[in-house]
């Protein structure tokens, strides 16, 4: 079996692609795999916020084109970076086991407290809204670039701290940079945070993903994405969702654009229906 794996060029994206490739080799040790990396528009344009240049789709545009024209056979993404709308020609074929879903605070090397004279670097409206609720008066400014680029800006003195996803830092072996973990109650994660998503062309034989797929993560990711989609959330909105499963039961938490948080529990096999119900409750302002 020969497969070409498409990925963004960043170190984190390559590590994530290698995780997928390792799972394919676990399924078929003789598989011939080729990693194909490329820059996306979202990686190139770093001087404007995502909502100013077209949203999360700019991180997958070039990879989607490569899938469609056959230059690659499967792509792997951080699920939280994917647009909520899905192309039937390029289905999300499955989701990995979830890494730590929490957001974290990262201070400059050697620092132990926040410097109130400098802003906190944060590229997400979801994080910014919740962070300002936790730390009133804090100044938050947008920051773009891969994790290493952001850390360099932090350590050079441009920011007092960063708020990042724990999952990315852990996959990069940078867990030691984490100064504080925010609980999911303090900062509700982005839909799919900590989960990797594999994307393929419609109609492909997906048996090679058997060692990659995780049922719990898949059920949670689909419910979380359905909630955000129902509220028309995206990179320009703070809408968030986080689901957990216990046996046959799912608990889904959601946050609307005003920062109000809601929760619903029900059968895990009705996750997307639960998401629709929760979204309706948020629109009606019900607790």
């Amino acid at each position: 079996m020969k497969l070409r794996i498409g990925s963004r060029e960043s170190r984190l994206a390559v590590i994530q692609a290698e995780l997928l490739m390792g799972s394919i080799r676990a399924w078929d040790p003789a598989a011939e795999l080729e990693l194909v990396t490329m820059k996306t528009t979202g990686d190139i344009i770093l001087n404007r916020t995502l909502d100013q240049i077209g949203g999360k789709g700019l991180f997958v545009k070039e990879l989607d084109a490569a899938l469609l024209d056959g230059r690659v056979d499967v792509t792997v993404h951080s699920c939280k970076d994917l647009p909520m709308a899905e192309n039937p020609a390029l289905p999300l074929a499955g989701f990995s086991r979830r890494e730590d879903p929490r957001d974290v605070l990262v201070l400059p090397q050697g620092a132990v407290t926040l410097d109130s004279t400098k802003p906190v670097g944060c590229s997400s409206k979801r994080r910014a809204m919740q962070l300002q609720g936790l730390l009133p008066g804090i100044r938050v400014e947008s920051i773009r670039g891969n994790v290493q680029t952001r850390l360099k800006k932090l350590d050079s003195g441009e920011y007092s701290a960063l708020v990042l996803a724990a999952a990315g830092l852990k996959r990069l072996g940078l867990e030691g940079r984490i100064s504080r973990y925010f609980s999911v109650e303090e900062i509700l994660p982005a839909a799919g945070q900590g989960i990797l998503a594999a994307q393929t062309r419609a109609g492909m034989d997906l048996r090679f993903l058997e060692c990659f797929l995780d049922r719990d993560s898949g059920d949670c990711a689909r419910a979380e994405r359905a909630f955000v989609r129902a509220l028309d959330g995206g990179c320009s909105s703070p809408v968030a969702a986080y689901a957990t499963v216990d046996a046959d039961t799912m608990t889904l938490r959601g946050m609307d654009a005003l920062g109000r948080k809601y929760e619903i529990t029900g059968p895990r096999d009705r996750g997307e229906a639960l998401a629709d119900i929760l979204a309706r409750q948020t629109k009606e302002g019900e607790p």
Side-chain angles (χ1 to χ4, degrees):
M1 179 181 65
K2 296 182 179 180
L3 288 171
R4 290 156 298 175
I5 315 299
S7 167
R8 292 161 64 186
E9 287 185 346
S10 75
R11 180 58 186 149
L12 178 57
V14 169
I15 287 172
Q16 292 173 168
E18 289 170 343
L19 290 172
L20 171 63
M21 293 166 74
S23 72
I24 296 173
R25 291 192 179 101
W27 178 77
D28 179 5
E32 295 182 37
L33 306 179
E34 178 187 356
L35 178 61
V36 180
T37 62
M38 60 192 75
K39 282 189 181 296
T40 67
T41 304
D43 297 315
I44 297 169
I45 303 176
L46 298 176
N47 60 348
R48 286 179 283 168
T49 60
L50 283 179
D51 56 317
Q52 293 175 330
I53 59 174
K56 292 183 177 181
L58 295 182
F59 285 122
V60 301
K61 180 180 176 182
E62 286 79 5
L63 290 164
D64 283 356
L67 263 181
L68 284 170
D69 65 21
R71 283 177 285 146
V72 299
D73 303 300
V74 58
T75 55
V76 60
H77 306 275
S78 292
C79 185
K80 71 178 179 65
D81 291 337
L82 288 169
M84 297 303 146
E86 296 182 26
N87 181 350
L90 298 174
L92 297 183
F95 303 90
S96 74
R97 179 189 63 80
R98 186 169 225 157
E99 180 51 276
D100 193 327
R102 294 174 292 178
D103 287 303
V104 298
L105 188 74
V106 179
L107 295 174
Q109 291 275 22
V112 294
T113 58
L114 278 173
D115 180 351
S116 61
T117 67
K118 296 177 182 178
V120 173
C122 177
S123 60
S124 158
K125 291 188 177 180
R126 169 192 63 83
R127 288 174 177 151
M129 174 182 282
Q130 296 180 88
L131 186 65
Q132 289 170 327
L134 286 172
L135 304 171
I138 198 169
R139 184 160 55 100
V140 177
E141 288 187 4
S142 178
I143 183 171
R144 296 284 314 283
N146 62 40
V147 172
Q148 289 89 344
T149 297
R150 296 185 195 194
L151 289 174
K152 286 179 182 178
K153 292 180 179 180
L154 171 69
D155 292 335
S156 70
E158 294 183 45
Y159 299 88
S160 64
L162 302 177
V163 180
L164 299 169
L169 289 168
K170 289 184 175 184
R171 288 178 178 135
L172 284 164
L174 296 173
E175 187 173 358
R177 290 301 309 261
I178 297 172
S179 302
R180 175 187 170 179
Y181 288 87
F182 295 105
S183 71
V184 296
E185 289 77 23
E186 291 175 315
I187 298 185
L188 196 68
Q193 186 155 308
I195 299 172
L196 303 181
Q199 194 167 19
T200 60
R201 289 183 294 278
M204 285 185 62
D205 183 342
L206 301 179
R207 285 177 295 174
F208 66 89
L209 291 175
E210 286 179 6
C211 294
F212 175 79
L213 304 182
D214 182 271
R215 183 193 171 209
D216 289 350
S217 292
D219 288 349
C220 290
R222 291 184 182 93
E224 292 163 15
R225 287 171 56 78
F227 174 81
V228 176
R229 190 163 54 242
L231 292 183
D232 296 321
C235 65
S236 61
S237 166
V239 175
Y242 175 63
T244 56
V245 291
D246 182 7
D248 294 327
T249 300
M250 174 179 288
T251 298
L252 175 64
R253 300 168 183 170
M255 185 179 79
D256 67 12
L258 298 176
R260 299 175 299 186
K261 295 178 181 179
Y262 302 78
E263 183 175 310
I264 191 171
T265 299
R268 69 181 288 167
D269 61 1
R270 298 190 67 246
E272 293 191 51
L274 292 174
D276 287 339
I277 294 170
L278 193 63
R280 286 200 301 272
Q281 290 177 354
T282 69
K283 291 175 182 177
E284 295 165 2
E286 297 178 2

